[in-house]
Amino acid sequence: MESELKDLNSRPPNGSSARDDRPLLKSESLTSADSIAEMEKKFAAYVRRDIYGTMGRGELPPKEKLLLGFALVTLLPIRVVLAVTVLLFYYLICRVCTLFYAPNQEDEQEDYAHMSGWRRAVIVSCGRALSRVMLFIFGFYWIPESNSASQGDKQQPEESDRPGVIISNHVSYLDILYHMSSSFPSFVAKRSVARLPLVGLISKCLGCVYVQRESKSSEFKGVSAVVTDRIREAHQNESAPLMMLFPEGTTTNGEFLLPFKTGGFLAKAPVLPVILRYHYQRFSPAWDSISGVRHVIFLLCQFVNFMEVIRLPIYHPSQQEMDDPKLYANNVRRLMASEGNLILSDIGLAEKRTYHAALNGNNSLPSVLHQKDE
């Protein structure tokens, strides 16, 4: 579960408390049209292009203001009540199913994803159904899905067609709800998620692998090993939960595909590429450069939201790709970009932080923002 964007909007780089009414650009930094155009070209993968403008703070036309005002007092409260009700209901289901059941403890991880019998069946079936209900509440009334038969010149072997991990592009937190409704996989999440009210127990039932993002010492390597083991287990054991990874490491505006991290490809197991696309006319559901609270409010105020899903065939790596995880990741990335009409970009989370800092008028950026993740 990606939360870099939430951190960026709630905690600026210099450690001061964030305010949503800060200027997008300071006069002494990037004020000219040429400078803004140059910045948007450089950070194109994170630029919002809907009518709500940069950071969702653009000047709205009168018609949009009227629609937004009407939705704020009618549609928004109804959807909030329904969404909270669904969340509470599923939490109670998870609480009942995990009563008197000890969680799986392994490598400083804790989960209920390895339970069997009626408990696991109820958690999975209810989780998938209620995730789809949640998407319906958010305005995704129908989600067209299509299967792509193309996989270049690769020949799939006669072995089992069960992948070890689902690989998806990352556009919004809504991606997680879709994948929960589709296959109910395990995600990688911040360790703090496990301690959150309601969501913490649900994440354990999903079988999330927890990572301490602030630490990239021996513990980071341990989490990588846990993910690799989970992927191999899912490929070999049909009763094991699938892993779900967003190898880009952060969200984009949905038009680009960032470089893939290799963690999901170290297990040498087949992967299932899935492409998510969000279409819009007014507000874009992409969570790129906008605060979490503002995004949720605008999303819930939009009567209809659109998502399209493209499923590619299971990608079986060649021997050369098994020996070179980076090659494996790059080949899957190029295939997804081709099938999803996505633009390949070479920027990442460090550039997103730089872009957000510039939008919020922060000229002095810590050196850590310019360090690319491994």
Side-chain angles (χ1 to χ4, degrees), residues 104-159:
N104 177 58
Q105 299 277 357
E106 183 180 359
D107 296 321
E108 300 184 3
Q109 302 289 331
E110 181 178 275
D111 71 85
Y112 293 98
H114 291 77
M115 67 172 59
S116 58
W118 67 269
R119 298 171 185 263
R120 183 63 183 168
V122 171
I123 287 176
V124 172
S125 59
C126 291
R128 293 182 63 176
L130 293 177
S131 296
R132 185 61 188 92
V133 170
M134 189 74 81
L135 286 171
F136 188 90
I137 293 172
F138 287 173
F140 295 91
Y141 304 121
W142 57 91
I143 301 177
E145 299 183 5
S146 60
N147 296 312
S148 172
S150 172
Q151 193 172 333
D153 298 327
K154 290 183 63 66
Q155 297 294 325
Q156 293 193 24
E158 296 295 329
E159 61 186 74

Side-chain angles (χ1 to χ4, degrees), residues 266-324:
L266 295 174
K268 305 178 182 180
V271 302
L272 175 62
V274 177
I275 303 167
L276 304 181
R277 297 188 63 100
Y278 294 85
H279 306 287
Y280 64 92
Q281 294 180 341
R282 297 164 51 217
F283 176 74
S284 170
W287 196 23
D288 37 35
S289 55
I290 183 173
S291 70
V293 173
R294 189 178 290 265
H295 186 278
V296 171
I297 291 175
F298 290 160
L299 180 79
L300 295 182
C301 286
Q302 188 158 255
F303 182 70
V304 181
N305 290 293
F306 301 95
M307 177 194 300
E308 176 190 2
V309 181
I310 303 174
R311 293 179 174 274
L312 275 60
I314 297 174
Y315 191 106
H316 295 267
S318 65
Q319 186 59 51
Q320 185 180 10
E321 290 170 330
M322 290 183 185
D323 296 336
D324 187 352

Side-chain angles (χ1 to χ4, degrees), residues 12-75:
N14 61 10
S16 60
S17 59
R19 291 175 57 89
D20 199 35
D21 57 352
R22 289 179 299 174
L24 297 183
L25 298 171
K26 285 187 176 180
S27 58
E28 64 269 24
S29 57
L30 296 168
T31 55
S32 69
D34 291 340
S35 298
I36 296 175
E38 181 180 352
M39 183 178 65
E40 291 187 346
K41 182 179 179 180
K42 181 177 180 180
F43 304 110
Y46 310 122
V47 177
R48 293 191 67 82
R49 307 185 188 282
D50 59 15
I51 66 172
Y52 284 76
T54 305
M55 300 291 281
R57 303 178 200 164
E59 181 63 28
L60 299 177
K63 180 181 178 181
E64 185 62 28
K65 289 181 179 179
L66 182 63
L67 290 173
L68 183 60
F70 179 77
L72 280 171
V73 297
T74 56
L75 193 60

